[in-house]
Amino acid sequence: PTAAYVHLPFCKRRCHYCDFPIVALGESSSNAGSTMESYVDLVCQEIAAERSPSRGALQTVFFGGGTPSLIPIPLLQRIIQALEAKHGFSRDAPMEISMEMDPGTFSRDYLTEAIQSCGINRVSLGVQAFDDDLLKLCGRSHCLDDVFQSIEWIKDSLQNWSLDLISSLPHHTLASWRKSLEQAIAASPAHVSIYDLQIEQGTKFGNLYKPGMDPLPSDDDSAEFFKLGSSMLREAGYDHYEISNYARKGFQCRHNLVYWKNQGYYAYGLGSTSFVDGKRVKRSKRMREYAKFVEALAAGSPVLPESLEGSRTEAVLPESVEDRILDTVMLALRLAEGIDLRRFEAEFGSELAGILCDGLAEFVASGNVVFLDASRECTAERAGAVYGRLTDPNGFLVSNEIISRLFCLV
Amino acid sequence: MAVVAPLHSAFLSPWSGASSANAAPLRERFSVIAAAVTSSPSSSPAIRTGRDRLDKVPVPQIRNFSIIAHIDHGKSTLADKLLQLTGTVEVRDMKEQFLDNMDLERERGITIKLQTARMRYISEDSLPYCLNLIDTPGHVDFSYEVSRSLAACEGALLVVDASQGVEAQTLANVYLALENNLEIIPVLNKIDLPGADPDRVRQEIEEIVGLDCTDAILCSAKEGIGIYEILEAVVKKIPPPKDTTADPLRALIFDSYYDPYRGVIVYFRVVDGSLRRGESVKFMASGKEYQVDEIGVLSPSQMPVQQLYAGEVGYLAASIRSVADARVGDTITSSSRKAEKALPGYQQATPMVFCGLFPIDADQFPELREALGKLQLNDAALRFEPESSSAMGFGFRCGFLGLLHMEIVQERLEREYNLNLITTAPSVVYKIERLDGETVECSNPSELPENRKCISEPYVKIDLITPKEYIGTLMELAQERRGEFREMNYITENRACVVYDLPLAEMVGDFFDQLKSRSKGYASMEYSITGYRVSDLVKLDIRINGEPVEPLSAIVHKDKAYTIGRALTEKLKSLIPRQLFKIPIQACLGSRVIASEQISAMRKDVLAKCYGGDITRKKKLLKKQAEGKKRMKSVGRVEVPQDAFMAVLRLEKDVV
């Protein structure tokens, strides 16, 4: 793999919609520093213990969280050094080192240091909403002023940054959502991610709200939000390259593309999942069990379920052909590029490719799917089709319906 | 006469053991027997008497009787007590309510398959008597079977709950008993309960049934009160069978069931002549002949004997392949010395209610076919033929005697054969006069002929017995169901009998449930088919996205079509998930749409975040969604969840 994900789980507090593996530190935790330091020790240990033979240097690194911008610069440096020592950083292609940052958690100096001494060259800023009331409602630890301040600092030092928004938040109306989009566009980021709010069990939102029920917008409204985002951002020069992601030319997130193209990646840290040699390993979401896993790894145990007992780590044996087919379909259709039918046929055979094409063709008349030829022009003829993709926005909007239908067939 | 000799030797066979108890005064004897019931010392005279129950007695000492009672009025408990007191069943072998031995029967408190018990009882006159208790099924769907059981008896105990009074069901069976010239002994049960009012109930029986109740026996089967008096009354009041042993054999079948090892087991009463093991017999209605492998008496378990004579009750096994060959009501005669005429009263089983049965999992179709075949071996009234529809796949159109029969078959299929079924709304048998003048029958709404002049439907006369405070609400119910008022009589000051003419179709839905719930359980009902009448009936079709869904078609009265159409389309709208295109749902009479709903196209179904570790989780979700799709039934392009069909069919059962 040429991509590495590092999970930095610390947050000031848990946001009300979040069910990610995080460690909430509290606003004024006195021993936050040492907690983070011992965690980074573990991560570095895990990186060093990695036994999958490195094939080529890393091209992308992604620090996700949690709130990575809470990690002190020296600790971040240690991780970078560990990664470079283990895998090397690519010199053929420019490195992409992304970091998720939350407004209100970092200073201008921190940002400068991160860029200069850690090599961070892409920032994904968790704005989520342009509205103080909504930010509060979501349990975010920052306010709107923090958002504008952060944007200003980032724009001063970087061109490659993403602004992350959540749509369909409680009380969102088409008017308020339009305003958020206008503000996002005014900030002129190179990349925009829009995540439609999902109500997860066990979260505060999960206890308070039912999807599609007041104060959450209806499904129809959510669909309108999605369409509005798609059209406004397109007009502002952004390419809708993945269901939830938009980018100006040349600013797609290379790291995330690795996932969607079903390529391998390393992963380090609590709760993270790696995909190396066709095998997915999902680390425990519990710190103690993750520590056990690292310990076993460092002691030379092979990454197998039986040797990782007690560490709650799920190691998925090399994926079956069936799983690979499903992964390919599910991931490729998230991209505007769509599924490469010739490559699919080469990998899984012409019979299955035929079934897939038939399945996709069912959705052409309704305008949810289009076939494209080699020069990416729409084609009505199946024979000349090289790609099949979901249309934007109508196909993207019902991607689950279409993908699950295809799952029934292949 | 070779027949007579063994008979007499059987009569002369000495019986012993009960002679000392025999001479004792009544009260003392009663206490001895009561002790046997509770403590069961193995040497007790009653038990020893019980052991001799296979011994023959002369015909004048045989008594054949049944018990007529409403559900919950204590028939089973009383029967159990009779078996215990006569030592037929020992206390340690006694399960609660010995006579109801199917789980289903226990749960519902009704009897479907009959039990019969031969008891030996030493009466006050010191003579040994052979008492045959012949059970009757406790539901109106089986009134033919009840009439055959009663025809096998000379008398009946009319058991009425002294706190509840006479119920419609009881009444119907009493009339059947009177038609069969049975001696009826009124028994007022549950007199130990605080609410018991024997005088009122006595008066009620006298007024409704016209039966002298001065000698009605006060009883508490539960407490063992009055049991002895009942046995004495059976001996004294019920006439013995006629001694026609010399005549050619005629035996009346009152029940039969299929045993996988021995073939059909037939329960019968020898009316004339005698039957010997090994003899060849002919079933006069079916025309089938078999050689009898085994005969015996039921006491209550099967006990083989060599021969049975006029007046006796017993069973036979003859490797009979299906109960249809030896149906209830048929007459058994001897192949070598045939009776001239069969016993009267035999009727073909006519299914009155039909419905479609479809396996939820299409793979279960062969299992369903096999299960229905097995049930039919044991149930001559059950009919079935294959039916298929695009929405439901392959299944069977099945015919039943009535609603209860239908439910029992469904339950047995689900419980005993582990099948998951969808059932369509029950339909009655309509008669359609075609334009060409010909009349055809139709029990499947989707097959209703087009060129029809008019449709007739079966009507029933329905008797409702209710405390007076529910008269209003029950009349309302009958009116809602297109009932026509016939008459009303006050049975007592507080209870009335209301009679309506009602289309059978209106009764096969939830009528009985409604009756019970609207009268807080106090009202009871009874019906009998009275014939066909022309009605203003129409065929209501349901279309999903323009495609007619045949299993949802129903034949309804014109005045109700609109309401029903609206209820069904609304229900479907709430249950069919949105799909990528909009789906019209319509209720139609022919080509005319009378109600319509629309499911708007799905707008959004998207998983926003998908990267890294999320992949496996999202894949699981999508796989689950795909599994759900696989379980859907397709109507044209529309995927309809099984649940939606089931819910609409349930609703249809209630509203149609």
Side-chain angles (χ1 to χ4, degrees):
Chain A
T2 61
Y5 174 79
V6 181
H7 192 67
L8 299 172
F10 303 100
C11 284
K12 285 186 180 170
R13 53 197 281 199
R14 186 180 280 277
C15 299
H16 296 165
Y17 50 79
C18 171
D19 73 335
F20 265 52
I22 66 148
V23 177
L25 294 171
E27 293 293 334
S28 57
S29 180
S30 51
N31 57 354
S34 65
T35 307
M36 288 194 271
E37 189 168 354
S38 35
Y39 176 75
V40 170
D41 286 347
L42 267 180
V43 171
C44 291
Q45 230 182 316
E46 190 193 355
I47 295 169
E50 172 79 56
R51 277 193 314 279
S52 294
S54 249
R55 270 153 292 179
L58 292 178
Q59 293 178 8
T60 68
V61 174
F62 196 102
F63 291 101
T67 311
S69 46
L70 288 175
I71 296 282
I73 295 292
L75 294 181
L76 198 60
Q77 272 176 321
R78 280 183 49 201
I79 300 173
I80 293 279
Q81 281 158 6
L83 284 170
E84 190 168 16
K86 182 71 190 182
H87 301 291
F89 285 170
S90 167
R91 286 171 209 292
D92 312 331
M95 282 293 289
E96 177 193 277
I97 306 182
S98 298
M99 180 169 173
E100 290 182 344
M101 301 182 84
D102 275 2
T105 60
F106 63 95
S107 64
R108 183 193 278 271
D109 287 347
Y110 180 94
L111 179 67
T112 313
E113 280 288 303
I115 293 166
Q116 287 178 357
S117 66
C118 303
I120 302 294
N121 57 14
R122 184 177 180 276
V123 167
S124 186
L125 184 68
V127 172
Q128 317 311 13
F130 281 102
D131 179 323
D132 266 328
D133 291 337
L134 271 184
L135 289 172
K136 213 169 153 187
L137 186 78
C138 292
R140 298 289 294 174
S141 61
H142 62 87
C143 63
L144 193 53
D145 284 344
D146 295 330
V147 168
F148 289 125
Q149 183 74 80
S150 309
I151 290 174
E152 192 189 315
W153 292 338
I154 290 169
K155 287 178 74 166
D156 283 351
S157 25
L158 274 177
Q159 199 191 351
N160 191 1
W161 70 284
S162 176
L163 190 154
D164 301 347
L165 282 178
I166 300 178
S167 65
S168 299
L169 285 170
H171 309 291
H172 255 165
T173 61
L174 200 59
S176 66
W177 176 239
R178 183 190 299 277
K179 210 178 137 205
S180 317
L181 287 168
E182 281 165 359
Q183 282 171 294
I185 290 165
S188 191
H191 186 283
V192 178
S193 295
I194 300 178
Y195 299 120
D196 191 59
L197 178 70
Q198 301 212 330
I199 303 297
E200 303 289 356
Q201 269 188 348
T203 63
K204 188 166 179 190
F205 273 13
N207 295 334
L208 286 175
Y209 306 129
K210 271 217 171 94
M213 304 288 278
D214 189 65
L216 293 178
S218 68
D219 266 13
D220 286 358
D221 284 343
S222 293
E224 289 307 316
F225 297 167
F226 187 91
K227 285 184 177 176
L228 189 66
S230 170
S231 66
M232 283 175 69
L233 287 165
R234 189 179 324 110
E235 267 168 47
Y238 295 88
D239 175 28
H240 194 176
Y241 74 104
E242 194 263 355
I243 283 179
S244 306
N245 289 280
Y246 301 81
R248 290 201 165 130
K249 200 171 162 53
F251 289 99
Q252 296 184 354
C253 178
R254 284 163 50 208
H255 182 85
N256 283 345
L257 280 170
V258 166
Y259 302 141
W260 299 321
K261 296 193 166 176
N262 204 20
Q263 293 160 351
Y265 48 90
Y266 299 107
Y268 305 105
L270 186 75
S272 65
T273 301
S274 53
F275 183 36
V276 180
D277 296 336
K279 204 183 206 177
R280 296 190 195 271
V281 178
K282 187 170 185 193
R283 287 148 192 79
S284 173
K285 292 181 173 188
R286 297 177 198 203
M287 193 61 89
R288 191 178 303 164
E289 289 161 2
Y290 168 63
K292 257 191 183 161
F293 164 74
V294 174
E295 197 184 302
L297 212 61
S301 306
V303 184
L304 284 171
E306 54 271 26
S307 59
L308 298 169
E309 208 181 312
S311 67
R312 285 218 190 205
T313 301
E314 294 170 40
V316 180
L317 297 172
E319 293 198 303
S320 63
V321 179
E322 189 200 338
D323 272 319
R324 273 177 27 229
I325 294 165
L326 298 185
D327 289 345
T328 307
V329 170
M330 168 180 99
L331 293 168
L333 288 177
R334 294 188 67 89
L335 291 169
E337 189 184 300
I339 190 158
D340 186 328
L341 299 170
R342 286 189 295 204
R343 197 187 294 167
F344 188 88
E345 181 172 345
E347 197 175 351
F348 304 112
S350 57
E351 192 186 336
L352 205 63
I355 293 171
L356 176 72
C357 278
D358 290 345
L360 284 167
E362 280 179 37
F363 299 99
V364 170
S366 53
N368 301 106
V369 165
V370 283
F371 287 110
L372 306 171
D373 63 16
S375 51
R376 295 201 61 82
E377 293 295 322
C378 279
T379 170
E381 282 174 52
R382 287 262 307 280
V386 178
Y387 299 95
R389 63 157 289 186
L390 303 186
T391 54
D392 176 21
N394 291 329
F396 278 158
L397 262 171
V398 292
S399 56
N400 284 355
E401 174 71 17
I402 296 173
I403 293 168
S404 57
R405 176 82 210 141
L406 296 172
F407 272 24
C408 289
L409 303 175
V410 297
Chain B
M1 297 275 285
V3 180
V4 180
L7 198 70
H8 281 283
S9 66
F11 292 160
L12 297 172
S13 77
W15 59 274
S16 57
S19 52
S20 57
N22 185 18
L26 190 149
R27 188 177 303 273
E28 217 179 295
R29 240 171 15 148
F30 177 62
S31 68
V32 170
I33 294 168
V37 171
T38 47
S39 63
S40 175
S42 56
S43 60
S44 104
I47 300 300
R48 267 173 280 143
T49 307
R51 281 188 198 138
D52 297 330
R53 61 193 188 269
L54 292 192
D55 292 352
K56 300 292 181 189
V57 298
V59 174
Q61 278 152 255
I62 296 176
R63 299 290 181 273
N64 294 322
F65 70 104
S66 64
I67 304 177
I68 296 170
H70 189 70
I71 301 165
D72 293 337
H73 282 199
K75 181 172 85 169
S76 303
T77 315
L78 176 58
D80 288 353
K81 279 284 147 64
L82 294 174
L83 298 192
Q84 285 178 33
L85 249 176
T86 53
T88 311
V89 175
E90 293 188 37
V91 175
R92 63 169 185 278
D93 298 330
M94 200 77 196
K95 276 184 276 177
E96 268 291 285
Q97 303 191 349
F98 203 93
L99 287 183
D100 284 357
N101 67 350
M102 262 169 80
D103 285 351
L104 210 68
E105 295 176 11
R106 267 167 213 262
E107 274 166 42
R108 287 162 175 258
I110 51 168
T111 310
I112 304 154
K113 277 291 162 190
L114 305 187
Q115 294 291 324
T116 291
R118 174 178 173 128
M119 298 171 272
R120 186 176 172 93
Y121 175 69
I122 315 299
S123 175
E124 278 177 343
D125 58 13
S126 304
L127 290 173
Y129 284 86
C130 166
L131 310 184
N132 289 306
L133 168 57
I134 297 173
D135 204 2
T136 54
H139 193 276
V140 63
D141 282 2
F142 303 101
S143 59
Y144 169 68
E145 283 75 4
V146 175
S147 79
R148 294 306 85 203
S149 284
L150 293 176
C153 301
E154 279 79 27
L157 301 175
L158 167 62
V159 177
V160 179
D161 186 324
S163 60
Q164 306 271 326
V166 178
E167 300 290 353
Q169 182 82 71
T170 328
L171 208 51
N173 289 346
V174 173
Y175 290 140
L176 275 176
L178 290 172
E179 276 169 36
N180 281 292
N181 291 317
L182 263 54
E183 178 66 34
I184 295 174
I185 300 169
V187 174
L188 305 183
N189 193 18
K190 304 197 188 181
I191 51 151
D192 58 311
L193 292 186
D197 187 354
D199 289 339
R200 176 179 68 81
V201 174
R202 207 178 265 142
Q203 186 197 341
E204 219 177 85
I205 298 174
E206 286 184 349
E207 276 172 33
I208 316 171
V209 191
L211 209 62
D212 179 11
C213 281
T214 32
D215 293 335
I217 298 167
L218 299 183
C219 153
S220 165
K222 204 173 131 227
E223 299 299 324
I225 302 169
I227 312 298
Y228 175 77
E229 285 78 356
I230 291 172
L231 288 167
E232 281 301 319
V234 166
V235 167
K236 290 199 180 109
K237 292 193 175 166
I238 297 177
K242 287 194 195 99
D243 189 350
T244 51
T245 307
D247 292 355
L249 171 67
R250 286 203 298 177
L252 173 66
I253 301 179
F254 60 85
D255 196 17
S256 61
Y257 72 92
Y258 182 78
D259 177 296
Y261 301 103
R262 296 183 292 166
V264 175
I265 308 295
V266 179
Y267 289 7
F268 59 88
R269 145 84 191 265
V270 183
V271 178
D272 304 319
S274 68
L275 174 62
R276 181 190 285 277
R277 192 172 77 95
E279 198 172 338
S280 176
V281 293
K282 179 172 183 170
F283 296 89
M284 296 179 82
S286 70
K288 298 283 161 65
E289 289 192 53
Y290 286 97
Q291 187 168 351
V292 177
D293 305 327
E294 180 184 331
I295 62 171
V297 297
L298 300 140
S299 189
S301 49
Q302 294 174 357
M303 300 179 164
V305 299
Q306 288 301 313
Q307 207 166 3
L308 288 167
Y309 306 98
E312 286 193 290
V313 172
Y315 72 93
L316 68 79
S319 309
I320 300 165
R321 276 178 291 277
S322 153
V323 288
D325 290 353
R327 271 240 315 135
V328 170
D330 201 348
T331 303
I332 307 169
T333 191
S334 164
S335 299
S336 54
R337 190 180 165 213
K338 290 194 184 74
E340 267 177 35
K341 266 173 75 181
L343 294 161
Y346 177 77
Q347 276 175 24
Q348 281 289 350
T350 333
M352 295 305 299
V353 177
F354 287 80
C355 79
L357 289 179
F358 295 89
I360 287 178
D361 174 358
D363 295 345
Q364 284 192 333
F365 176 75
E367 288 164 61
L368 175 60
R369 184 175 48 206
E370 206 187 313
L372 281 169
K374 280 188 186 158
L375 288 183
Q376 201 177 41
L377 286 178
N378 206 1
D379 183 348
L382 173 67
R383 303 274 174 87
F384 64 95
E385 56 186 47
E387 181 180 22
S388 71
S389 88
S390 57
M392 301 287 187
F394 290 95
F396 292 94
R397 190 84 194 159
C398 303
F400 309 95
L401 292 176
L403 263 198
L404 180 82
H405 186 210
M406 180 176 94
E407 278 175 38
I408 288 166
V409 170
Q410 281 169 16
E411 275 195 53
R412 293 191 64 184
L413 289 171
E414 298 199 335
R415 280 195 206 186
E416 293 168 32
Y417 296 91
N418 283 320
L419 297 166
N420 292 314
L421 301 173
I422 294 192
T423 58
T424 64
S427 165
V428 300
V429 184
Y430 296 96
K431 285 186 178 162
I432 293 96
E433 192 184 332
R434 293 204 312 230
L435 292 173
D436 58 16
E438 211 178 310
T439 301
V440 290
E441 287 192 352
C442 173
S443 61
N444 186 348
S446 62
E447 287 170 2
L448 193 69
E450 285 303 330
N451 56 342
R452 54 186 182 257
K453 197 167 141 201
C454 61
I455 307 177
S456 318
E457 61 180 332
Y459 262 69
V460 294
K461 169 177 154 293
I462 177 166
D463 296 24
L464 309 171
I465 291 186
T466 174
K468 70 174 175 196
E469 57 263 48
Y470 304 113
I471 292 174
T473 171
L474 293 185
M475 287 177 87
E476 223 168 80
L477 171 65
Q479 231 86 41
E480 280 166 24
R481 304 299 166 100
R482 299 194 276 133
E484 279 169 30
F485 179 79
R486 254 206 205 185
E487 59 178 333
M488 178 168 82
N489 302 306
Y490 272 88
I491 302 169
T492 58
E493 206 177 304
N494 291 316
R495 298 212 316 154
C497 177
V498 190
V499 185
Y500 269 89
D501 285 321
L502 195 80
L504 176 63
E506 295 286 342
M507 225 191 61
V508 297
D510 64 340
F511 189 88
F512 185 70
D513 294 340
Q514 283 293 327
L515 173 93
K516 283 291 171 193
S517 79
R518 293 192 194 190
S519 67
K520 304 202 165 65
Y522 284 111
S524 61
M525 65 173 258
E526 163 64 24
Y527 71 88
S528 52
I529 306 275
T530 49
Y532 274 77
R533 277 202 213 174
V534 173
S535 291
D536 203 353
L537 298 171
V538 289
K539 180 180 168 215
L540 180 71
D541 292 313
I542 297 293
R543 288 188 202 167
I544 297 177
N545 203 29
E547 294 265 339
V549 189
E550 288 183 348
L552 298 185
S553 292
I555 293 171
V556 300
H557 194 263
K558 204 174 161 195
D559 295 348
K560 291 188 170 181
Y562 177 72
T563 327
I564 294 169
R566 217 171 46 180
L568 295 183
T569 49
E570 276 170 10
K571 189 79 182 177
L572 278 170
K573 183 188 176 179
S574 71
L575 291 170
I576 298 178
R578 286 180 169 200
Q579 305 191 11
L580 291 179
F581 42 91
K582 63 179 181 219
I583 307 164
I585 296 175
Q586 298 156 317
C588 310
L589 301 180
S591 58
R592 191 161 61 92
V593 176
I594 56 162
S596 88
E597 294 282 343
Q598 181 154 297
I599 298 172
S600 46
M602 175 193 296
R603 299 299 307 282
K604 188 195 97 171
D605 184 12
V606 56
L607 292 168
K609 245 183 195 180
C610 185
Y611 52 67
D614 254 350
I615 289 175
T616 42
R617 192 168 144 191
K618 305 282 180 202
K619 188 166 71 178
K620 258 187 213 158
L621 287 172
L622 288 165
K623 270 180 153 173
K624 211 174 139 194
Q625 198 167 340
E627 282 308 312
K629 281 188 186 304
K630 282 183 192 164
R631 281 196 302 272
M632 301 238 199
K633 302 275 181 184
S634 51
V635 174
R637 291 162 67 215
V638 184
E639 290 170 336
V640 182
Q642 197 98 1
D643 296 355
F645 280 122
M646 299 220 248
V648 169
L649 288 169
R650 263 198 305 279
L651 177 71
E652 220 169 54
K653 281 169 201 160
D654 293 349
V655 297
V656 170

